[in-house]
Amino acid sequence: MKPQFHARTKSFFQSGWGGRNISEYCKWNGIVCNEAQSVTEISTKKYFYIPSTKAHIQHFNVAAFPDLISLELSGSGLKGNIPSEISSLKKLLHLDLSSNFLQGELSSSLSSLTQLQTLNISNNLLTGVIPSTLGQLKNLILLSLDSNQINGHIPSELGSLRGLEQLTLSNNSLNGSIPSTLEHLIHLKVLDLSHNKISGVIPEGISALTELTSVQLSWNQITGSIPPGIGKILRLQSLDISNNHLQGHVPDDVLEHCQYLQLRNNSLNGSIPSQVGNISYLDLSYNDLTGNIPEALHSVSHLNLSYNSFNASDHSFCGFPKDSLIGNKGMKDSCSFNVDVSDADISLVMILVFSTFNGMIFSMVLVCWGIHVFCPLHNEFGNEQRRKNGDMLSIWNYDGKIAFEDIIKATEDFDIRYCIGTGAYGSVYKAELPSGRIVALKKLHEAESENPSSYKSFCNETKILTEIRHRNIIKLYGFCLHNKCMFLVYEYMERGSLFCNLSYDVEAQELNWSKRINVVKGIAYGLAHMHHDCTPPIVHRDISSNNILLNSELQAFISDFGTARLLDLHSSNQTLPAGTYGYVAPELAYTLSVTTKCDVYSFGVVVLETMMGRHPAELISCLSEPSIQKKKLKDILDSRIPLPHFRKDMQDIVLVVTLALACLSPHPKSRPSMQEIANELLASKPPLLWHFDSISIHQLIKQKIYIIGRS
């Protein structure tokens, strides 16, 4: 249900309470009163409305609320200094002034709020130092001062906050060392001191904080070694100490419990511990690590070991994506193929066959779970030669877990009953293999298998997907190349394409705002990996809602790499036109030069389509017209689901639509990079400068300059 705002709310800020009967305010949105009709809670999260013309915190008459327990004014566009009168609210338990434009220094008088449990003044413009008197707030559970301009040391007195569960001081200008007194915070779960100027070593006492789930210390000037006991914290899921000056070994047990471990850009040495638990993200790049690469790392979905001192003399690089090992000695010579063997139930058996035909080399890799037949190493290999000599690649009698006969039997020779989609070049089939694994098969139409361009596209997709691995990019299990039968074996995506999910009302209604935001994030992270983590960069060239697939949990995966292109950084990268009408960047109409900004434009179209529930062609074509710019954001959103109720969803929607509009700039150089977009989606959300229902397209177009400028 949409909130109804009283016009009288303005008087709340214009003239304070005055002689007005306070009890009448108890009927307002966002205000809660007790039985005595005294105000106990004021919250913008419950649609308490602050007029933008009066968004100065000094207009707020705090002395009128002696019984106030919770004051939450986040994302309200408030300006000015925090009034010292707030310290008179002796019953206050929760104070949240985050995501505003508050200035000045934190007052030491806040220490008089002895009942306070949460203090959140993050994402403002505060300066000065952290008052040591905050250590007197013995009941504090959450202290968040991140994303301000605070400097000075972290007060050692914060170690007195024995009940503290979350301490977030990131994105400031804090210096000095991490106080050893923080080891007394035995209930601490989240510690975030990242993006400061902190020096010194990591106190060993942190290893005794057994409740920790997340430690973020990246982008500082920390020296010394990683505390050896930190890996023994059983609850620790995320550890990020990247971009510091750490030395020494990676602790033996740190990979056993963490799911997310980020240690890049330090001076760590020694070998990687062999004991690996359920870790899914591991980045050890830009260090001085040596020794063998543990085989257990094959199970890590996002792995980066580049720019270390690993030597491939023992062929330890085999089976790892090339982009995860760039900058290591002997990488190119260690293994001439790349196989994904991430599934635990796979026992690896390889037979290498090298054959020559007219001076051209073929390589075949037969794996016990499937059949990999690599495309010719020379693109000049003509379709006629391939067709005449197709039997040379006939290996269907190989006795493996996935053999040609299994595919034929599972689909009853590609019977139409198993077909779940048909396109211009081929059909997609669903097959359950003898092992119980369900896979998707993309099979070229027989006529297309004789087409040189289709064959090239097939080989292109195979090449790209055997060299790239990311949690938001479709996984290729295997492929079959033969003159009579060409197909790719993919991970099966239960929910199909994003286009289909947006096209049908029932599916679209299941895609609520938070799920749509997660879809957008997944696409962004996948593209950022292709553009910025792969060498050379990979441009997809056909990002559309049809090529974004969703699994059973509605997570997004980029698919269909038939037109993908490896960028040559030393050439013009001119190419033939590719892509889907309505998603192609406008510059490709007058130039054939491909850049990563072509994908950025297509991403912007898909984002708007995801939020609007339909293709945004009409909106994009008229973006510069005043009539379109006057439109409200809420009026272009998908009407099949209710407008967002939670402020987090509102902030997310404003952010992704603003980013989408920036991506649609007609000038490629004006568009953000996918890395900038990914960083924005990971960062704390910018405050809502206007009330959600009143936000216009024009305001978002202006806002994009501010958001992109933060990257």
Side-chain angles (χ1 to χ4, degrees), residues 627-644:
S627 59
I628 291 294
Q629 293 196 7
K630 288 179 181 178
K631 271 197 169 186
K632 303 297 183 187
L633 170 62
K634 67 182 182 66
D635 294 331
I636 70 167
L637 296 177
D638 195 339
S639 60
R640 293 171 294 182
I641 55 177
L643 286 173

Side-chain angles (χ1 to χ4, degrees), residues 497-511:
S497 71
L498 175 61
F499 174 81
C500 288
N501 281 267
L502 294 173
S503 298
Y504 300 105
D505 290 349
V506 174
E507 286 80 358
Q509 288 166 6
E510 187 177 347
L511 273 173

Side-chain angles (χ1 to χ4, degrees), residues 272-301:
I272 302 176
S274 58
Q275 297 300 318
V276 177
N278 295 321
I279 191 166
S280 59
Y281 185 106
L282 176 61
D283 192 340
L284 297 173
S285 59
Y286 294 94
N287 280 287
D288 298 318
L289 297 171
T290 58
N292 298 336
I293 301 175
E295 291 185 9
L297 293 187
H298 280 291
S299 63
V300 180
S301 58

Side-chain angles (χ1 to χ4, degrees), residues 461 465 472-474 490 540 542-543 546-549 557-562:
E461 182 158 14
L465 287 179
N472 295 112
I473 294 175
I474 194 74
Y490 290 107
H540 189 281
D542 195 12
I543 293 296
N546 262 317
N547 291 335
I548 304 300
L549 302 182
F557 295 78
I558 302 172
S559 71
D560 203 338
F561 284 75

Side-chain angles (χ1 to χ4, degrees), residues 42 44 56 62 150-151 156 208 256 287 310 359 364 384 408 417 419 463 479 538 549 567 576 581 634 641 648 653 696:
I42 300 173
T44 52
H56 199 294
V62 293
I150 299 172
N151 53 44
S156 60
E256 289 191 54
N287 280 287
F310 297 118
M364 292 189 237
E384 183 65 21
I408 295 299
R417 289 179 299 157
C419 184
K463 182 180 187 300
F479 59 90
I538 299 172
L549 302 182
L567 282 190
L576 294 175
Y581 179 77
K634 67 182 182 66
I641 55 177
K648 180 182 182 299
I653 291 170
S696 68

